[in-house]
Amino acid sequence: DAGVIQSPRHEVTEMGQEVTLRCKPISGHDYLFWYRQTMMRGLELLIYFNNNVPIDDSGMPEDRFSAKMPNASFSTLKIQPSEPRDSAVYFCASSHQMLDSDGYTFGSGTRLTVV
Amino acid sequence: DAKTTQPPSMDCAEGRAANLPCNHSTISGNEYVYWYRQIHSQGPQYIIHGLKNNETNEMASLIITEDRKSSTLILPHATLRDTAVYYCIVRASGGSYIPTFGRGTSLIVHP
């Protein structure tokens, strides 16, 4: 298995532009998670899905952030409009169930820089 | 939600055992202890988990105290590649509980 695949690896955009981050979870995993990591706040959970349905989006910072999972093999995290304070590394993770014997599997992340 | 407390940083000589402590004094009976690590510029990686018994796999050993209020992750022969941030988290079985990763312990393995 190729693991959790995220794209792009790096994204540099100007303030006010729309940014879309993509994630392909491991085939057969029922749960998908989006995390954000910054020096100030560490690793924060933004939203998670179960069987393509958003379950908890309480970590989404504001209405500029939205996430979708149109099918079991693809999810997007969109920021519109982007702001410099959104600069961070965004990780996607998936797991087979809430208590998976191997824990979550994380992707390599997308480093977002908003200038 | 059970919280965990870890030292912010530790260091270890290459080839020696690295013992990383974690305090989870408010852990409840159905919560597992999980350990992850994050090597620079990569996503967190699962290491090991346990409920009450000690566990060992090819990466590490997990020692959980009898009262389950603390645990220790042991890397028996640390290498330079083990330099990373190590996170101790607790997760309940089932339900909708999502763990938080906290700040973890930054382990530096030096030659």
Side-chain angles (χ1 to χ4, degrees):
Chain A
D1 196 318
V4 176
I5 299 173
Q6 291 186 246
S7 64
R9 287 297 310 273
H10 302 275
E11 176 80 37
V12 180
T13 190
E14 291 185 348
M15 181 174 62
Q17 296 297 307
E18 177 180 295
V19 176
T20 299
L21 312 181
R22 297 173 176 79
C23 175
K24 176 179 169 55
I26 291 175
S27 177
H29 279 191
D30 304 326
Y31 289 84
L32 183 139
F33 307 83
W34 282 101
Y35 284 85
R36 177 173 69 175
Q37 187 170 39
T38 61
M39 288 292 291
M40 291 289 291
R41 302 174 69 91
L43 197 59
E44 306 172 274
L45 176 69
L46 300 178
I47 185 172
Y48 80 95
F49 295 81
N50 176 214
N51 291 323
N52 313 336
V53 176
I55 303 300
D56 185 350
D57 65 355
S58 59
M60 297 285 262
E62 46 196 277
D63 293 344
R64 297 183 297 106
F65 286 70
S66 63
K68 294 182 180 179
M69 192 165 185
N71 57 62
S73 59
F74 184 65
S75 176
T76 60
L77 177 68
K78 185 178 294 186
I79 308 172
Q80 166 63 22
S82 58
E83 297 182 2
R85 60 190 168 127
D86 302 330
S87 298
V89 181
Y90 291 81
F91 288 104
C92 175
S94 70
S95 71
H96 179 51
Q97 52 187 320
M98 288 300 289
L99 183 64
D100 185 80
S101 60
D102 290 329
Y104 298 158
T105 301
F106 280 78
S108 298
T110 294
R111 180 174 295 277
L112 173 66
T113 303
V114 183
V115 298
Chain B
D1 301 346
K3 300 281 190 254
T4 62
T5 303
Q6 298 177 254
S9 63
M10 296 181 65
D11 70 284
C12 173
E14 188 177 21
R16 306 296 292 269
N19 299 296
L20 293 96
C22 180
N23 189 302
H24 32 79
S25 58
T26 60
I27 193 170
S28 59
N30 68 339
E31 289 182 316
Y32 289 69
V33 180
Y34 274 72
W35 283 83
Y36 287 77
R37 74 179 181 185
Q38 186 174 21
I39 296 171
H40 182 61
S41 298
Q42 299 181 23
Q45 173 193 24
Y46 165 84
I47 301 173
I48 198 168
H49 77 284
L51 183 63
K52 57 177 70 174
N53 297 322
N54 298 337
E55 302 287 344
T56 295
N57 63 21
E58 65 278 5
M59 291 181 69
S61 294
L62 174 61
I63 308 299
I64 302 174
T65 58
E66 192 169 343
D67 63 8
R68 303 209 323 123
K69 293 183 184 298
S70 66
S71 60
T72 301
L73 179 75
I74 300 173
L75 308 178
H77 305 287
T79 70
L80 300 179
R81 289 174 296 178
D82 292 322
T83 293
V85 177
Y86 288 78
Y87 298 99
C88 166
I89 62 176
V90 293
R91 293 177 63 184
S93 59
S96 61
Y97 175 67
I98 300 295
T100 55
F101 277 80
R103 291 293 188 174
T105 296
S106 176
L107 174 68
I108 296 175
V109 181
H110 54 84

